[in-house]
């Protein structure tokens, strides 16, 4: 069974940076695509970024492109989301997700989810 544990959320001022981490366990990490999603209360969960199993393929939502970077360390079974130039509208609970899909950086079809970590950006 896949287990995902996120960390790194917190409170930051607009323009600041945070790095989220997600530790994967239970299966062979490099065979899973990983994604980051976020959700504001009362709204649908929103795709943020994805990365394929090797780390070569990535995809980003337009709203974060150029500010956020997704990466992974397959030796540490960990995926990261580096968030720079944060804005108040980035405030949300951020979720890590995994799917068995090889090297494709998918926006959909994730079956495994972490518990979420809160990111709050003050203006």
């Amino acid at each position: 069974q896949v287990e995902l544990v996120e960390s790194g959320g917190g409170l930051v001022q607009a323009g600041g940076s945070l790095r989220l981490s997600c530790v994967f366990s239970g299966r062979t990490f490099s065979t899973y695509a990983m994604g980051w999603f976020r959700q504001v209360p009362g709204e649908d969960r929103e795709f943020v970024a994805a990365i394929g199993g090797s780390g070569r393929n990535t995809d980003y939502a337009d709203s974060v492109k150029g500010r956020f970077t997704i990466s992974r360390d397959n030796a540490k079974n960990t995926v990261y989301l580096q968030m720079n130039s944060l804005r108040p509208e980035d405030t949300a609970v951020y979720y890590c997700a995994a799917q068995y899909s090889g090297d494709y950086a998918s926006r959909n079809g994730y079956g495994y989810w972490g518990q979420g970590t809160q990111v709050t950006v003050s203006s």
Side-chain angles (χ1 to χ4, degrees):
Q1 183 71 7
V2 170
E3 183 176 352
L4 304 171
V5 179
E6 301 106 329
S7 62
L11 173 64
V12 64
Q13 288 189 331
S17 298
L18 282 174
R19 189 176 81 156
L20 305 183
S21 300
C22 173
V23 178
F24 173 105
S25 63
R27 291 292 186 269
T28 303
F29 182 55
S30 61
T31 63
Y32 281 74
M34 301 297 295
W36 286 98
F37 294 76
R38 63 189 183 188
Q39 189 169 25
V40 174
E43 298 184 11
D44 291 336
R45 192 171 294 182
E46 174 189 25
F47 167 78
V48 175
I51 188 166
S54 71
R56 287 191 298 265
N57 299 318
T58 58
D59 188 21
Y60 295 91
D62 288 343
S63 59
V64 306
K65 202 170 291 185
R67 300 188 297 123
F68 290 11
T69 302
I70 189 170
S71 62
R72 64 192 294 157
D73 186 338
N74 284 352
K76 295 182 178 180
N77 285 6
T78 302
V79 62
Y80 304 97
L81 186 68
Q82 178 67 44
M83 304 185 295
N84 298 329
S85 302
L86 282 161
R87 304 167 180 168
E89 54 265 38
D90 294 318
T91 295
V93 176
Y94 282 71
Y95 295 91
C96 170
Q99 67 164 291
Y100 183 72
S101 73
D103 213 19
Y104 181 61
S106 175
R107 294 192 176 203
N108 302 291
Y110 288 86
Y112 301 100
W113 295 85
Q115 82 287 351
T117 185
Q118 176 71 46
V119 171
T120 303
V121 184
S122 62
S123 56

